[in-house]
Amino acid sequence: MVLGALKTVQEPELHQDLVTLNMVKDIQIEDGSVAFTVVLTTPACPLRSQIESEARAAVLRLPGVRQVEVKFDSQVRPDSRIIGKLNVPIKNIVAVGSGKGGVGKTTVAVNLAVALAQMGARVGILDADIYGPNVPIMMGVEEMPPPQNDKMVPPVAYGVQVMSIGFLVPEGEALIWRGPMLHSAIRQLLTDVAWDNLDYLVVDLPPGTGDAQLSLAQSVPLTGGIIVTTPQAVSLADARRGVTAFQRLDVPVMGIVENMAGEVFGEGGGEQAAEALGVPFLGRICLEPSIREGGDAGEPAVIFQPDSDQAAAFRMLAQKVAAQVSVLNARRPAAAQAPIKLEMGVN
Ligand SMILES: Nc1ncnc2c1ncn2[C@@H]1O[C@H](COP(=O)(O)OP(=O)(O)O)[C@@H](O)[C@H]1O
Ligand SMILES: [Mg+2]
């Protein structure tokens, strides 16, 4: 009966009901009191309160029910193509790209990763930008701990497991890598790292289209990609380059983020680019000196100034990205929804 009532409640983003989506567990009924747990597909779910009130109302409509308690839990669902291809304990991979450098790609990637971790997800960030591997600087980590069982151990900062191509080679060296060298380095960063059960791995890609994108996409299916761009009208061409790069590699484009909006560069270019390219607009981050100060000091904005507008904008971006991952995974054929193997395996 309770399940029947909950079958009328839609998950607003996935457009299916909670029961069909297998999101209801631990139903307890005692006299007129009903309690149950809704298992969200991400701890970064922006629609928790909407789901709560609709689920409560639906169950309260049942005859004899006087009180309803809705509890929440979350379990991120895997992009099962990943475990099908590589034996890594990573449920989803979100690549962050841009058409050109200097638009704030790394800034967006680190804040996205930290914001997801702050919401309770298990998160890693992989710095694959051979031209400027500066994730470690922005995350305030200097070096790796010693390896364990022949695997590199990612240092943890702000709850995020951090790995960088910059840890593998002296500065500047990765730049001259081509094809096979780069390919094996990128594979190593996925498989030879003791990633500890990640819900989301955020990858900071080099700008543009190149060997690194290709190597990554050939090594492992990417759940989705986001493009960072700046507000100027001229950045449409750059955004298009980024979108095309993902599309060519069969990576679903989750959307465009406009960074550095404000008096200097104006605003709106990213939104227009999203519209012109037919992809979602994921949000706008203002040009704000403290973002750079925090970045230089190894403190992403969501840590450096958690109460600021920009931190709120990064958190909203994180929720949107998490929701898109859930939607993309729900759209894949049910047969591909095998449960992820959570133990660390040997590759
Ligand atoms: N919204 C912003 N406001 C102020 N400074 C920013 C913002 N986004 C990025 N920056 C700064 O701009 C520079 C380039 O950003 P970065 O993330 O390194 O770009 P990319 O990775 O695309 O090359 C950095 O110094 C960074 O701190
Ligand atoms: Mg960068």
Side-chain angles (χ1 to χ4, degrees):
M1 247 193 3
V2 173
L3 280 178
L6 291 173
K7 216 167 155 37
T8 66
V9 179
Q10 296 271 309
E11 208 288 352
E13 219 114 38
L14 302 179
H15 305 296
Q16 274 187 303
D17 70 87
L18 301 183
V19 178
T20 303
L21 287 166
N22 240 332
M23 290 172 65
V24 181
K25 69 167 191 189
D26 296 343
I27 300 178
Q28 286 170 352
I29 307 175
E30 223 182 279
D31 300 328
S33 298
V34 177
F36 54 90
T37 301
V38 175
V39 185
L40 300 168
T41 58
T42 174
C45 178
L47 302 161
R48 196 179 287 239
S49 56
Q50 182 183 343
I51 295 173
E52 172 168 9
S53 60
E54 290 180 11
R56 178 191 309 283
V59 175
L60 269 176
R61 260 181 249 125
L62 291 171
V65 174
R66 279 175 285 109
Q67 206 189 334
V68 176
E69 186 188 357
V70 188
K71 296 177 216 168
F72 281 98
D73 193 358
S74 66
Q75 183 165 33
V76 175
R77 299 192 180 183
D79 176 346
S80 49
R81 299 170 309 160
I82 295 173
I83 200 76
K85 176 108 185 204
L86 283 185
N87 189 13
V88 288
I90 300 173
K91 289 186 182 175
N92 295 286
I93 303 181
V94 175
V96 183
S98 65
K100 64 169 188 187
V103 298
K105 181 171 48 61
T106 305
T107 302
V108 168
V110 298
N111 279 287
L112 168 63
V114 175
L116 286 169
Q118 285 175 327
M119 292 168 185
R122 300 189 59 86
V123 186
I125 187 164
L126 172 52
D127 179 7
D129 188 350
I130 44 175
Y131 302 108
N134 44 22
V135 167
I137 293 175
M138 289 201 193
M139 291 293 282
V141 294
E142 268 155 28
E143 51 190 29
M144 276 192 290
Q148 275 175 10
N149 303 326
D150 285 338
K151 291 217 180 207
M152 294 182 278
V153 176
V156 177
Y158 314 117
V160 174
Q161 300 169 41
V162 183
M163 187 47 59
S164 173
I165 204 157
F167 290 157
L168 298 187
V169 284
E171 212 183 308
E173 197 165 297
L175 258 181
I176 56 164
W177 287 354
R178 287 292 172 269
M181 285 275 280
L182 186 60
H183 189 75
S184 84
I186 288 194
R187 250 191 105 88
Q188 267 185 44
L189 290 169
L190 288 164
T191 59
D192 296 356
V193 172
W195 296 114
D196 187 4
N197 291 331
L198 301 181
D199 292 323
Y200 307 102
L201 177 66
V202 176
V203 184
D204 185 10
L205 284 169
T209 46
D211 286 355
Q213 281 84 345
L214 189 63
S215 293
L216 181 68
Q218 283 175 345
S219 300
V220 69
L222 305 179
T223 311
I226 69 177
I227 302 291
V228 181
T229 188
T230 49
Q232 302 92 318
V234 291
S235 58
L236 173 61
D238 298 320
R240 175 174 285 129
R241 238 194 317 282
V243 168
T244 310
F246 282 138
Q247 285 171 342
R248 249 190 238 138
L249 298 169
D250 273 336
V251 177
V253 178
M254 298 199 292
I256 290 180
V257 183
E258 178 178 297
N259 185 36
M260 305 192 180
E263 279 164 38
V264 183
F265 299 128
E267 68 169 53
E271 196 163 3
Q272 283 157 18
E275 202 165 302
L277 300 172
V279 300
F281 180 62
L282 293 173
R284 174 173 293 130
I285 315 292
C286 288
L287 181 72
E288 164 57 50
S290 69
I291 295 182
R292 183 177 46 74
E293 284 164 36
D296 289 349
E299 287 199 24
V302 291
I303 298 287
F304 190 57
Q305 293 194 323
D307 299 324
S308 61
D309 288 349
Q310 54 274 18
F314 281 124
R315 285 192 293 268
M316 199 183 290
L317 170 69
Q319 291 182 327
K320 285 197 176 161
V321 168
Q324 289 251 19
V325 167
S326 297
V327 170
L328 285 166
N329 286 336
R331 270 197 213 139
R332 292 207 177 84
Q337 299 260 344
I340 191 170
K341 216 173 106 201
L342 287 176
E343 326 81 66
M344 291 291 303
V346 276
N347 287 292

